[in-house]
């Protein structure tokens, strides 16, 4: 395999060895991996000290070793390029110290002389005057030869030969990650490192290794403060731009982030202020009364343990209480006010070893409330031997489980050299499958809980993630679909599932009917859904744009076909298809004049007009062809086009040409028929009426009105016409009343034989009222 230049540089960085002493399990795996690699490639062999360095005596008891040129380049890569965040230096060095402590405990089991020793510890202390940080462990320690092998040699497999193999493209890329470089992360913040160590082997002298990461290092016997028993003391001489790490608060923060679950006690030297009650000497003393007290601060210095939290995932589930699970969740994920809905605690054994605890939150995490796939959301925390590695691995779980929180602790994960990038492998795939399966088990447990409000809470918070799972995760789609929930025409304010729908289905029903809309209320208004409800069938309401994309991946469920009622050619299970076809032909023939007129008036707006007797309340409905876009999807596509810099003007014109289904029995349609019959095809009133019928059908079917100004004009025209009719009718009534009253007066005058008014007045009245 030929490697790119970039890959060559990264792989070259893998050849540095940095742990003080790897733990026994890690050593065993490295030996097996090295044996396997050697059997496959037989390219690398350890370099002798004479090949790597030249030694010369500078002063009595101190030896100086010069690095080869290749090693210097690798060191530069490690210090300046390998790590993306120099905070990890403490994680790496503490991990090395924990490995040394772990090996000491392992060796003490079989050694009677050391079995009674106290538990190994790790202590960290900063010195602001000397500008140093000291990390000391009481682990196994190292001899002079171990210092040379573990800190002096860079790449047991041979620096020069490995670099040459990289250049030829023949290096086994699986070797990446087998070379620990953690120790050299110290140079991220230090320009000089002293390693003082004493091996637990009998009569071992205390040795000192020193290097400023330039071209050489020295090894000599050490006469500084003696190490009790055995152990290693690192002294980091800080760079000028790394003085922040001398603050105990900063060290404490990093330890809590990376090393809070390390098995051995980790303590930091810090000032502590305590408040004590002491007698107030200045206060007046009253005989017979207790002396008055005052509170004074008392500052002391000492070591304080940082990693008091216990990694409960390493215990068996039967040994952990529900309260401990809750406390761990709230502490580890900083969710003090959230109680998880469910949790699962499990381990993998056999081909790989892994321990994990997963949680389903009780509420939507804040970082996901703005972006459901926020890259900064930290849901799964990855540990290796209790040491935190990262919480931003994308492949550990699929993104539709972004809301699931938990920890995964495995020594088999394939990390890159800096332990910051998770590489794709069969191990990762196995862990991914198990995490998904356990997450689905938790969700099913919530759904089957007697307290139905729990799943309602879960669905309201995380239902959209399951919909994404149906779309993106074909392997687990069949397990996710039963967990989906919908509103329906029969469920009222409650949710229903596909299983509940099937239980309530009519005899011989083999279809699940659904309609898409922008909300439950609009779905209820949909004329397309009206056609199904009128026959007594339940209709599912899909009320989000995501629903339509999701439902395209669910064509059937338990022998029931899912049918969109807003599509043309809807067929019902209880229909005789021959009779249905005959009825439709009769309707088309009977109302041909209205149908033809609507197709002419709405040319460019609809594909065709179809008469139907399926609508019971609405005058008309817009439906799409079998492969057309629903109105919800059209809005989504239009928004996407605008967001990408396009224009929404006319974009959806062709898609909007749906089929107009008309109910000829509706009074509005009958009025239109009369207008066409009496006023002819050129009537402006009839045309406005036809277009208004289309607009109302579009609105109730979920479409947008393309020209809102034209729509408003038609509404105002109709309102004005109605107002004119009302004014004329009111005027006619007033005239009728005015005519009747003078006639009565004339009759009264004639009967009373009263002298008639002047002829001019009588003629004016008669002329005004039209009386001759």
């Amino acid at each position: 395999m030929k490697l790119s230049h970039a890959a060559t540089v990264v792989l070259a960085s893998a050849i540095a060895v940095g742990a003080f002493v790897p733990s026994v399990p890690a050593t065993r795996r490295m030996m097996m991996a090295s044996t396997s690699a050697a059997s496959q490639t037989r390219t690398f062999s350890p370099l002798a000290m004479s090949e790597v360095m030249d030694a010369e005596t500078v002063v009595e008891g101190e030896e100086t070793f010069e690095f080869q040129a290749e090693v210097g380049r690798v060191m530069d890569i490690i210090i300046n390029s390998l790590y993306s965040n120099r905070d990890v230096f403490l994680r790496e060095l503490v991990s090395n110290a924990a490995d040394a402590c772990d090996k000491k405990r392992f060796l003490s089991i079989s050694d009677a002389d050391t079995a009674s020793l106290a538990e190994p510890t790790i202590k960290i202390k900063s010195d602001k005057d000397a500008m140093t940080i000291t990390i000391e462990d009481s682990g196994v320690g190292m001899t002079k030869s171990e210092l040379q092998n573990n800190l002096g040699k860079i790449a047991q497999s041979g620096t020069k030969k490995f670099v040459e193999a990289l250049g030829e493209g023949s290096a086994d890329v699986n070797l990446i990650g087998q070379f620990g470089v953690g120790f050299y992360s110290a140079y991220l913040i230090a320009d000089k490192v002293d390693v003082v160590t004493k091996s637990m082997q009998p009569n071992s002298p205390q040795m000192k290794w020193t290097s400023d990461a330039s071209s050489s290092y020295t090894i000599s016997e050490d006469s500084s403060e003696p190490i009790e028993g055995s152990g290693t003391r690192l002294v980091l001489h800080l760079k000028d731009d790394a003085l922040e790490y001398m603050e105990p608060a900063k060290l404490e923060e990093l330890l809590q982030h990376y090393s809070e679950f390390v098995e051995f006690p980790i303590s930091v030297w810090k000032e502590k202020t305590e408040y004590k009650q002491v007698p107030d000497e200045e206060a007046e003393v009253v005989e017979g009364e207790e002396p008055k007290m005052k509170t004074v601060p008392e500052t002391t210095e000492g070591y304080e343990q940082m990693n008091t939290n216990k990694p409960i995932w390493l215990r068996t589930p039967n040994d952990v209480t529900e309260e401990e699970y809750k406390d761990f969740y709230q502490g580890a994920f900083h969710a003090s006010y959230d109680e998880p809905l469910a949790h699962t605690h499990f381990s993998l054994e056999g081909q790989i070893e892994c321990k994990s605890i997963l949680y389903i939150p009780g509420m939507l995490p804040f970082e996901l409330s703005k972006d459901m796939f926020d890259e900064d959301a930290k849901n799964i925390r990855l540990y290796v031997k209790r040491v935190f590695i990262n919480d931003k691995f994308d492949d550990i779980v699929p993104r539709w489980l972004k809301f699931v929180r938990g920890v995964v602790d495995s020594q088999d994960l394939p990390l890159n050299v800096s332990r910051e990038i998770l590489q794709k492998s069969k191990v990762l795939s196995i862990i991914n499958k198990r995490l998904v399966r356990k997450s689905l088990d938790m969700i099913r447990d919530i759904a089957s809980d007697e307290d139905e409000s729990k799943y309602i809470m879960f669905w309201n918070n995380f239902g959209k993630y399951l919909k994404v799972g149906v779309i993106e995760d074909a392997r687990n789609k069949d397990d996710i679909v039963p967990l989906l929930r919908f509103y329906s025409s029969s469920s009222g304010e409650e949710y229903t599932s596909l299983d509940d729908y099937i239980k309530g289905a009519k005899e011989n029903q083999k279809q699940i009917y659904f309609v898409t809309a922008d909300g439950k209320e609009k779905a209820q208004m949909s004329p397309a859904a009206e056609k199904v409800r009128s026959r007594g069938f339940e209709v599912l309401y899909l009320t989000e744009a995501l629903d339509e994309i999701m439902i395209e991946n669910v064509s059937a469920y338990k022998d029931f076909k899912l049918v969109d009622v807003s599509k043309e050619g809807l067929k019902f299970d209880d229909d005789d298809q021959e009779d249905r076809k005959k009825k439709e032909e009769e309707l088309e023939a009977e109302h041909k004049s209205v149908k033809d007129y609507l197709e002419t008036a709405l040319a460019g707006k609809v594909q065709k007009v179809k008469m139907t007797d399926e609508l019971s309340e609405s005058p008309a409905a817009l439906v799409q062809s079998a492969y057309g876009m629903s109105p919800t999807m059209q809005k989504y596509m239009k928004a996407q086009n605008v967001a990408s810099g396009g224009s929404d003007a006319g974009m959806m014109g062709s898609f909007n040409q749906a089929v107009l289904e008309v109910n000829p029995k509706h009074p509005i349609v009958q009025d239109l028929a009369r207008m066409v019959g009496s006023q002819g095809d050129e009537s402006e009133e009839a045309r406005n009426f036809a277009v208004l019928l289309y607009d109302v059908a579009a609105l109730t079917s979920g479409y947008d009105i393309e020209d809102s100004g034209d729509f408003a004009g038609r509404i105002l025209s109709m309102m004005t016409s109605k107002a004119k009719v009302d004014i004329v009718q009111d005027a006619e009534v007033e005239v009728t009343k005015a005519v009747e009253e003078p006639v009565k007066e004339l009759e009264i005058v004639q009967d009373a034989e009263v002298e008639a008014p002047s002829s001019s007045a009588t003629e004016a009245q008669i002329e005004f009222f039209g009386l001759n």
Side-chain angles (χ1 to χ4, degrees), residues 27 41 47 58 84 123 147 187 291 302 331 387-388 471 505 515 530 572 611 633 661 671:
T27 305
T41 64
L47 283 183
V58 178
S84 61
K123 296 181 178 181
L147 276 175
Y187 291 101
V387 177
F388 174 74
I471 298 169
V515 65
E530 174 188 315
F572 296 96
M611 294 296 168
M633 184 53 61
E661 293 187 346
D671 283 346

Side-chain angles (χ1 to χ4, degrees), residues 192-404:
K192 178 183 175 184
V193 177
D194 297 330
V195 179
V196 178
T197 183
K198 183 179 180 183
S199 173
M200 66 181 294
Q201 295 181 14
N203 303 319
S204 293
Q206 184 165 304
M207 305 298 297
K208 181 178 181 180
W209 181 99
T210 300
S211 176
D212 58 4
S214 56
S215 60
S216 64
Y217 65 89
T218 63
I219 298 178
S220 63
E221 288 196 19
D222 181 67
S223 59
S224 63
E225 180 182 351
I227 296 175
E228 295 184 9
S230 64
T232 300
R233 181 188 304 138
L234 260 71
V235 181
L236 312 181
H237 299 266
L238 300 186
K239 299 176 181 178
D240 292 337
D241 63 350
L243 300 183
E244 61 174 318
Y245 295 104
M246 288 193 299
E247 295 296 332
K250 180 65 175 179
L251 297 174
E252 183 177 351
E253 175 190 344
L254 297 180
L255 290 171
Q256 290 291 347
H257 184 63
Y258 291 111
S259 307
E260 63 176 328
F261 299 112
V262 169
E263 182 176 6
F264 302 99
I266 305 173
S267 302
V268 173
W269 182 272
K270 58 185 297 187
E271 285 187 354
K272 294 185 293 183
T273 301
E274 297 180 353
Y275 294 90
K276 293 186 175 182
Q277 292 286 327
V278 297
D280 188 351
E281 298 178 352
E282 298 179 357
E284 183 179 351
V285 179
V286 180
E287 187 176 352
E289 294 183 2
E290 292 288 335
K292 294 183 178 181
M293 308 293 286
K294 65 177 181 180
T295 302
V296 296
E298 183 178 64
T299 301
T300 59
E301 289 186 326
Y303 284 105
E304 181 179 338
Q305 186 174 344
M306 297 290 104
N307 56 335
T308 55
N309 289 338
K310 302 300 180 183
I312 63 173
W313 64 83
L314 298 180
R315 296 156 57 185
T316 59
N318 293 334
D319 294 337
V320 186
T321 65
E322 289 296 319
E323 191 65 25
E324 286 177 312
Y325 281 122
K326 173 184 159 185
D327 291 343
F328 175 79
Y329 170 79
Q330 293 178 336
F333 297 98
H334 309 290
S336 303
Y337 300 101
D338 183 21
E339 292 192 17
L341 282 174
H343 63 78
T344 182
H345 184 180
F346 62 95
S347 61
L348 299 179
E349 296 178 353
Q351 185 177 0
I352 63 171
E353 293 184 4
C354 170
K355 296 182 184 294
S356 177
I357 296 180
L358 299 179
Y359 293 90
I360 292 181
M363 62 180 67
L364 184 66
F366 174 76
E367 60 270 21
L368 298 180
S369 60
K370 297 180 180 178
D371 180 359
M372 65 182 293
F373 300 119
D374 186 1
E375 294 181 356
D376 294 327
K378 303 171 182 178
N379 55 329
I380 301 297
R381 307 187 69 184
L382 179 63
Y383 291 81
V384 173
K385 294 171 61 179
R386 308 185 185 192
V387 177
F388 174 74
I389 301 300
N390 211 327
D391 52 15
K392 293 184 180 179
F393 291 130
D394 294 332
D395 297 325
I396 197 84
V397 291
R399 71 171 190 157
W400 67 270
L401 286 175
K402 191 78 171 178
F403 63 93
V404 174

